[in-house]
């Protein structure tokens, strides 16, 4: 039987790494131009490209090339993979963050290109949590390609397997050997690579993937890569080299005989998970605050007719999804890129704060607080799906705090950051706030006589 290699032309475009995002954008344009030119020269050449952020860059900065991509997709020669905004770190983002990676990206691919990604593709992440199969399947992807951890870091007995999440979701998964972009200049080097791939895959399969091209800073398959491949398959009829969509490979796999893996895929570069804590903190703040703002806006829409700011929130989420990129979140990029990253996070956090404030202002004005005998109303909101007990600080000095039933709750005066100006304290008390809701407390000053006696 012929040994079959599915030749996957790609570029592994790192939008940020040893360069800032502006340079990544420029390189994306150059790479896309190169891939489109190769398609004009070689009728059976196919190119694989992940990351919706790359496509959006092309759409915004080179619309004529974007139209070319759409035509090549219709021909089946330009292959959309990944289904995520970037190739993210696959441990650090929240569950909601992963859901948004799929939501915005697959929606973008469908609306702009008329397709969605069918193959998950995150070759350079440093590890992969076991919930990935569930996320992929619920996002329309049935297969997954990764590279790390390598065999010396996690010596599995297989490199082709069914990966299963706790809910039973499975994706056909292949671990490719380093590198994800193999650049060869002659048949001898290509032959050595094919033999290496055959040795790497100890699963008894008669076919596998060969990812080739110039990568990291872009580039993609070269003329030499393509012509060497064509020459090799003419000289070696016993070996089948196919310019392919990775889905072709996965569809040909006999899944009934594959082993099942039910754990995480770890570890590579573990130190990355303790680096650049500032950006890791910023990412989590963005995720939680944007989600809270969305929840409050939905409530405000129901209670007060506040319109949902779809475009603002989508733009903010895209900033956060970009920060999930494995070299940003993992702390592996150059220092100046983190100045940019903080700006991305700042824009997202500012949007979240503005959207949230508009929603809470609208909701709070619909709450009946007209009974002035109760005191000054303090409305406290909780965006979580569970009740919360929290210490609340009010920016004024009060003598009594009561709940909505008029029952006093313990409170105390604490040093205020306005003390230098007002020479007074804030008031601290503990509040009980229901899930996905709000509660009203009331604040009062002691009667004037009591204040005078206390002096």
């Amino acid at each position: 039987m012929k040994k079959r290699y599915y030749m996957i032309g790609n570029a592994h475009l790192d939008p940020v790494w040893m360069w800032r995002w502006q340079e990544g954008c420029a390189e994306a344009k150059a790479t896309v131009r190169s891939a489109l030119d190769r398609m004009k020269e070689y009728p059976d050449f196919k190119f694989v490209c992940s990351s919706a952020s790359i496509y959006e860059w092309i759409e915004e900065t080179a619309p004529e090339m974007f139209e070319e991509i759409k035509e090549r997709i219709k021909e089946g020669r330009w292959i959309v993979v990944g289904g995520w905004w970037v190739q993210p770190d696959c441990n650090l983002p929240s569950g909601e963050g992963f859901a948004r990676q799929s939501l915005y990206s697959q929606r973008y691919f469908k609306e702009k290109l008329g397709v969605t990604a069918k193959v998950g593709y995150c070759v350079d992440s440093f590890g992969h949590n076991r919930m990935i199969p569930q996320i992929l399947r619920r996002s329309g992807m049935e297969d997954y390609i990764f590279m790390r951890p390598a065999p010396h870091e996690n010596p599995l007995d297989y490199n082709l397997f069914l990966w299963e999440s706790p809910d039973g979701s499975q994706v056909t998964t292949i671990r490719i050997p380093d590198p994800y972009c193999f650049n060869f200049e002659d048949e001898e080097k290509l032959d050595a690579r094919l033999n290496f791939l055959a040795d790497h895959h100890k699963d008894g399969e008669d076919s596998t993937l060969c990812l080739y091209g110039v990568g990291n800073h872009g580039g993609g398959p070269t003329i030499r890569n393509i012509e060497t491949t064509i020459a090799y398959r003419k000289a070696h009829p016993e070996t089948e080299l196919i310019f392919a969509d990775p889905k072709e490979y996965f569809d040909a796999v006999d899944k009934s005989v594959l082993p099942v893996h039910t754990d995480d895929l770890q570890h590579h570069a573990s130190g990355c998970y303790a680096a650049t804590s500032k950006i890791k903190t910023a990412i989590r703040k963005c995720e939680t605050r944007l989600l809270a703002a969305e929840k409050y806006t939905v409530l405000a829409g129901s209670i007060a007719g506040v319109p949902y700011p779809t475009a603002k929130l989508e733009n903010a989420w895209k900033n956060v999804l970009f920060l999930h990129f494995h070299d940003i979140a993992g702390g592996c990029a150059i220092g100046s890129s983190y100045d940019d990253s903080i700006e991305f996070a700042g824009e997202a956090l500012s949007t979240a704060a503005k959207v949230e404030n508009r929603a809470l202002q609208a909701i709070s004005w619909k709450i009946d607080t007209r009974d002035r005998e109760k005191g000054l109303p303090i409305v406290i909101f909780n965006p979580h799906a569970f009740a919360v007990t929290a210490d609340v600080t009010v920016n004024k000095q009060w003598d009594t705090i009561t709940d909505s039933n008029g029952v006093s709750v313990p409170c105390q005066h604490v040093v205020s950051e306005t003390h230098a100006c007002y020479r007074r304290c804030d008031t601290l008390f503990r509040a009980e706030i229901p899930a996905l809701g709000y509660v009203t407390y009331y604040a009062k000053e002691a009667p004037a006589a009591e204040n005078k006696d206390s002096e």
Side-chain angles (χ1 to χ4, degrees):
M1 182 180 294
K2 283 186 177 181
K3 189 70 176 178
R4 180 179 299 134
Y5 296 90
Y6 292 84
M7 305 297 290
I8 309 301
N10 77 111
H12 190 71
L13 282 160
D14 279 344
V16 174
W17 184 36
M18 297 293 101
W19 45 85
R20 296 171 62 192
W21 68 267
Q22 296 91 335
E23 185 174 341
C25 177
E27 185 53 42
K29 289 172 63 179
T31 298
V32 168
R33 182 68 269 157
S34 175
L36 290 169
D37 288 345
R38 300 294 81 75
M39 289 183 176
K40 294 177 182 177
E41 298 159 353
Y42 304 98
D44 61 343
F45 168 67
K46 295 181 180 181
F47 183 70
V48 166
C49 186
S50 72
S51 306
S53 61
I54 299 296
Y55 289 84
E56 187 175 69
W57 275 347
I58 301 301
E59 181 188 17
E60 292 175 346
T61 63
E64 70 289 347
M65 283 201 295
F66 194 73
E67 292 303 314
E68 286 187 64
I69 290 173
K70 290 162 69 173
E71 291 304 311
R72 297 305 186 185
I73 287 173
K74 291 177 183 177
E75 295 175 359
R77 298 176 61 200
W78 186 287
I79 317 302
V80 175
V81 295
W84 290 341
W85 200 249
V86 294
Q87 290 190 37
D89 179 273
C90 288
N91 287 313
L92 289 169
S94 65
E96 186 66 31
F98 276 111
R100 299 305 174 116
Q101 284 283 349
S102 296
L103 171 67
Y104 289 115
S105 303
Q106 292 285 53
R107 178 185 293 168
Y108 177 86
F109 289 143
K110 185 65 176 178
E111 291 178 352
K112 301 289 187 174
L113 303 174
V115 298
T116 56
K118 303 302 181 185
V119 176
Y121 187 94
C122 196
V123 296
D124 205 18
S125 181
F126 309 139
H128 307 260
N129 77 80
R130 67 184 297 200
M131 300 306 297
I132 296 295
Q134 179 178 341
I135 293 165
L136 291 171
R137 288 305 296 253
R138 296 192 180 192
S139 306
M141 291 174 274
E142 302 174 344
D143 312 296
Y144 192 55
I145 303 173
F146 79 104
M147 186 180 74
R148 297 188 173 116
H152 70 281
E153 296 165 319
N154 188 341
L156 302 172
D157 293 330
Y158 37 78
N159 290 307
L160 177 63
F161 53 94
L162 298 177
W163 189 17
E164 182 175 295
S165 286
D167 75 329
S169 299
Q170 290 184 342
V171 289
T172 308
T173 301
I174 186 170
R175 173 166 66 181
I176 61 171
D178 191 13
Y180 36 68
C181 280
F182 181 66
N183 182 24
F184 50 92
E185 298 177 350
D186 53 48
E187 292 183 47
E188 182 179 355
K189 290 182 179 178
L190 175 57
D191 187 67
R193 180 64 178 179
L194 298 180
N195 289 331
F196 172 76
L197 290 172
D199 292 339
H200 175 78
H201 289 283
K202 46 198 175 184
D203 312 280
E205 290 287 327
D206 62 352
S207 64
T208 192
L209 300 178
C210 178
L211 277 68
Y212 74 99
V214 178
N216 285 342
H217 196 258
T222 65
I223 293 174
R224 183 71 62 85
N225 292 158
I226 299 170
E227 291 189 344
T228 299
T229 300
I230 294 171
Y232 186 94
R233 64 186 181 188
K234 288 180 179 178
H236 297 270
E238 74 283 1
T239 302
E240 191 172 1
L241 303 186
I242 307 170
F243 292 119
D245 175 343
K247 189 62 178 171
E248 297 173 54
Y249 165 75
F250 285 111
D251 286 347
V253 168
D254 182 358
K255 300 173 179 59
S256 66
V257 300
L258 296 183
V260 178
H261 184 81
T262 59
D263 201 357
D264 292 336
L265 294 168
Q266 310 291 3
H267 293 93
H268 172 84
S270 298
C272 292
Y273 294 102
T276 59
S277 60
K278 185 176 182 179
I279 195 63
K280 292 174 170 61
T281 301
I283 289 170
R284 191 65 82 243
K285 282 182 178 179
C286 288
E287 291 171 336
T288 55
R289 291 183 184 178
L290 280 171
L291 186 56
E294 290 193 13
K295 292 177 181 178
Y296 291 139
T297 299
V298 170
L299 290 174
S302 176
I303 295 171
V306 173
Y308 194 87
T310 302
K312 287 183 179 180
L313 287 169
E314 179 174 333
N315 182 67
W317 268 112
K318 286 178 179 178
N319 278 4
V320 183
L321 302 183
F322 190 82
L323 298 182
H324 287 164
F325 181 66
H326 55 269
D327 287 323
I328 296 176
C332 302
I334 57 174
S336 58
S337 73
Y338 287 100
D339 296 332
D340 298 331
S341 297
I342 291 301
E343 291 177 358
F344 275 63
E347 183 181 18
L349 289 170
S350 177
T351 298
K354 292 174 182 177
V355 170
E356 177 180 294
N357 182 66
R358 185 184 69 161
L360 296 186
Q361 292 287 345
I363 296 170
S364 62
W365 276 66
K366 292 292 184 179
I367 301 171
D368 186 356
T369 57
R370 291 173 292 178
D371 188 352
R372 308 309 293 175
E373 292 297 319
K374 290 184 176 182
L376 185 75
I378 304 167
V379 182
I380 308 164
F381 292 86
N382 173 20
H384 302 298
F386 49 86
V388 169
T389 299
D391 292 332
V392 176
T393 302
V394 182
N395 185 25
K396 192 171 181 181
Q397 188 168 314
W398 298 99
D399 297 297
T400 304
I401 303 292
T402 61
D403 64 18
S404 57
N405 296 316
V407 178
S408 294
V409 298
C411 65
Q412 69 182 69
H413 296 160
V414 294
V415 175
S416 170
E417 63 178 330
T418 66
H419 187 269
C421 180
Y422 286 108
R423 294 292 189 270
R424 64 161 174 75
C425 293
D426 288 347
T427 305
L428 173 72
F429 67 98
R430 182 158 292 180
E432 305 282 345
I433 314 108
L436 285 173
Y438 62 86
V439 65
T440 306
Y441 285 81
Y442 294 88
K444 286 185 177 181
E445 292 180 335
E450 292 182 24
N451 282 333
K452 187 174 182 180
D453 291 344
S454 65
E455 293 176 358

